[in-house]
Amino acid sequence: MSAMDLDAPVSIATRFAATDQQQNGATILCCNCGAAIDGTTAAGALCYDCVKLTVDVSQGIQREATLHFCRDCDRWLLPPSSWIVAALESRELLALCLKKLRGLHKVRIIDASFIWTEPHSRRVKVKLTIQDSVSEGVVLQQAFEVEYVVAYQQCPDCAKSYTANTWRACVQVRQKVPHKRTFLYLEQLILKHGAHKDTINIKEVKDGLDFYYAARNQAEKFVDFLNSVAPVRSKKSQELISMDIHTSTKSYKFSYSVELVPICKDDLVAIPIKLAKQIGNISPLGLCYRVGTTVNILDPATLQTADISTPIYWRAPFTSLADVQELTEFIVMDIDLTGPQKGRWALAEATVARASDLGSNDKTYYTRTHLGNVLHPGDSVMGYMLTGTNFNSPQFDALEESNTYSSQIPDVMLVKKFYARKKKAKNRNWRLKRMTRDEGDLLPKKSDQERMDKDYEMFLRDVEEDEELRQTMALYKAQQQQKIDAEAMSVVETDDGEDETPRIDMEELLDEFDDLAVTD
């Protein structure tokens, strides 16, 4: 019979035989609820609904567990000894919760999610959906909740930070200058880039700071950061703590000595004549207008600039002739622009008189300055008095003996404009972050504290006056209560003259968050 023959006869016996085979299947009743089920696939003579009610596939899986959390560094314990960072309701924390459950490897996980709990309840709840085979051909899916109790436990790294003499590496940063302005600027750079996050302790010592670390590679990373932001040189030393003679295992403590260039912003410097010719034939007597990765020198008489790199400086080091503590106040009697300009500088010829000489004599001094854009007759300006001053410097003595440069030494070298300020500058709308440090065994004396406060106030004034300096730091808006107090003080106090103090625009400031822990 061909396949295309549609009228072919069909056997009636074969048709009724198939129907009888279907009707004679092994149909039984559920022993629990009496529902008709297929006896060949039934598990224990139970229907699927009764299997779900009587069989627990989550048996043997914990319903309660404990999570250990370090409150100092916000890390979670991953047994046996690892500590990981995980935010609440994150994938990392969910993976940690699943690893804490015993017996979970015997079933198949379909879904896992967090159930919201109160943040202060110290409870974490997870909803799990699992599958498991009850019998041959029967797979049961079940959902249940697991509750975790958050227990506080201090991690070994934080325990070391609260224990004395547990450091493995120390970075000793030093600068041999009589003020702390360079360290205040370096502190802002460290805070902006977060270079201090691995430190165990920060201790303030004479002429610098000590940074303690638990590992050697963290200290080397910090030394590399200092090399990238400041002209420094470093030395490394190590001390043997213990040694196992059987395995030749040794334990060392490492110390890194980092020395900053002893030249700061606005310092008067006398460069060796040979070095001055090598870096562009600049005048050996000049001002340091910026200290970045290199030392930047300015000649106020010609507006010529030169950069002294770190290797070149340490090859033939020299110190500054005078620093900002030796600045003298002058009054501008007359000033004339001579034309050349370079960035924010403009060359001018000025006639100035010392502020202390007004009323006693009429002695004036003629000089060239780079402050032609900001100075006007009657303004106050800070500068160095070179006439009648003795400098204990071989570089300056070589300038006086030189036939070429002895006639180019000016009587006065002006540095920056002086702004008349109130005695208490409490109405600033901005603030800076400070690092938490250990002041040592003894608290600073009253005179030392006054000197530190004075250095910090001078640094804040430099931040207000120098826009380029502000671009390298992070400035934050002052707290609302300080603004209210400042407004109240401004209402009570009266000011007859105009205040020309530079102000920082609010657009340059960052919003302050609670977790920043900013301290004055």
Side-chain angles (χ1 to χ4, degrees), residues 333-346:
M333 310 302 294
D334 188 19
I335 186 168
D336 294 324
L337 293 173
T338 58
Q341 293 190 7
K342 188 175 183 180
R344 57 192 174 105
W345 301 317

Side-chain angles (χ1 to χ4, degrees), residues 323-333 351-358 361 363-365 375 378-386 411-421 461:
D323 55 24
V324 292
Q325 297 180 351
E326 303 174 31
L327 288 173
T328 307
E329 184 180 355
F330 295 90
I331 304 297
V332 180
M333 310 302 294
T351 303
V352 297
R354 196 158 44 180
S356 59
D357 292 342
L358 294 180
N361 56 55
K363 190 172 184 180
T364 59
Y365 303 94
L375 293 182
D379 289 346
S380 297
V381 61
M382 304 299 290
Y384 293 107
M385 188 73 181
L386 301 182
D411 297 332
V412 173
M413 186 170 289
L414 303 181
V415 179
K416 60 181 179 180
K417 184 178 179 179
F418 178 72
Y419 296 94
R421 301 172 184 263
R461 293 183 180 184

Side-chain angles (χ1 to χ4, degrees), residues 125-146:
K125 291 186 177 181
V126 177
K127 182 180 179 182
L128 290 177
T129 303
I130 61 174
Q131 280 185 356
D132 194 14
S133 176
V134 177
S135 62
E136 185 178 355
V138 178
V139 177
L140 187 62
Q141 179 171 314
Q142 184 177 350
F144 62 98
E145 296 180 5
V146 181

Side-chain angles (χ1 to χ4, degrees), residues 358-378:
L358 294 180
S360 59
N361 56 55
D362 297 332
K363 190 172 184 180
T364 59
Y365 303 94
Y366 170 81
T367 184
R368 287 186 176 181
T369 179
H370 60 292
L371 303 175
N373 285 335
V374 296
L375 293 182
H376 304 89

Side-chain angles (χ1 to χ4, degrees), residues 181 185 265-266 288-291 296 344-345 370 374 415-417 419 421 430 458-473 475 501-505 508:
R181 293 170 59 208
Y185 175 64
K265 183 176 177 290
D266 297 334
C288 175
Y289 69 94
R290 184 176 59 217
V291 178
N296 305 114
R344 57 192 174 105
W345 301 317
H370 60 292
V374 296
V415 179
K416 60 181 179 180
K417 184 178 179 179
Y419 296 94
R421 301 172 184 263
W430 57 277
M458 292 181 63
F459 175 70
L460 295 180
R461 293 183 180 184
D462 289 341
V463 173
E464 289 178 338
E465 297 171 5
D466 194 344
E467 185 178 354
E468 293 183 358
L469 184 65
R470 293 199 300 267
Q471 294 177 354
T472 60
M473 300 186 303
L475 278 66
T501 305
R503 299 282 182 174
I504 297 180
D505 192 2
E508 300 181 30

Side-chain angles (χ1 to χ4, degrees), residues 285-484:
L285 190 65
L287 292 173
C288 175
Y289 69 94
R290 184 176 59 217
V291 178
T293 54
T294 59
V295 180
N296 305 114
I297 306 298
L298 168 69
D299 181 12
T302 60
L303 300 184
Q304 183 181 357
T305 59
D307 300 337
I308 303 177
S309 62
T310 305
I312 293 177
Y313 174 83
W314 291 114
R315 197 178 303 157
F318 58 91
T319 58
S320 58
L321 296 179
D323 55 24
V324 292
Q325 297 180 351
E326 303 174 31
L327 288 173
T328 307
E329 184 180 355
F330 295 90
I331 304 297
V332 180
M333 310 302 294
D334 188 19
I335 186 168
D336 294 324
L337 293 173
T338 58
Q341 293 190 7
K342 188 175 183 180
R344 57 192 174 105
W345 301 317
L347 191 61
E349 296 177 351
T351 303
V352 297
R354 196 158 44 180
S356 59
D357 292 342
L358 294 180
S360 59
N361 56 55
D362 297 332
K363 190 172 184 180
T364 59
Y365 303 94
Y366 170 81
T367 184
R368 287 186 176 181
T369 179
H370 60 292
L371 303 175
N373 285 335
V374 296
L375 293 182
H376 304 89
D379 289 346
S380 297
V381 61
M382 304 299 290
Y384 293 107
M385 188 73 181
L386 301 182
T387 302
T389 305
N390 294 325
F391 296 105
N392 186 15
S393 172
Q395 289 84 13
F396 189 76
D397 295 340
L399 291 181
E400 291 182 329
E401 297 173 359
S402 174
N403 296 329
T404 305
Y405 299 107
S406 60
S407 59
Q408 299 180 7
I409 300 177
D411 297 332
V412 173
M413 186 170 289
L414 303 181
V415 179
K416 60 181 179 180
K417 184 178 179 179
F418 178 72
Y419 296 94
R421 301 172 184 263
K422 298 178 182 179
K423 293 184 179 179
K424 293 184 179 180
K426 299 294 185 181
N427 56 346
R428 290 190 174 97
N429 60 347
W430 57 277
R431 65 188 315 197
L432 296 174
K433 293 171 63 177
R434 300 298 303 273
M435 285 191 303
T436 303
R437 66 186 72 179
D438 185 6
E439 295 181 351
D441 299 332
L442 298 176
L443 294 175
K445 298 179 181 179
K446 184 177 180 181
S447 59
D448 296 338
Q449 185 65 38
E450 292 177 354
R451 179 176 55 83
M452 292 167 59
D453 294 341
K454 183 180 178 181
D455 291 341
Y456 187 63
E457 179 63 27
M458 292 181 63
F459 175 70
L460 295 180
R461 293 183 180 184
D462 289 341
V463 173
E464 289 178 338
E465 297 171 5
D466 194 344
E467 185 178 354
E468 293 183 358
L469 184 65
R470 293 199 300 267
Q471 294 177 354
T472 60
M473 300 186 303
L475 278 66
Y476 295 88
K477 296 178 182 179
Q479 292 181 356
Q480 190 68 25
Q481 185 62 33
Q482 292 183 349
K483 294 181 181 179
I484 296 174

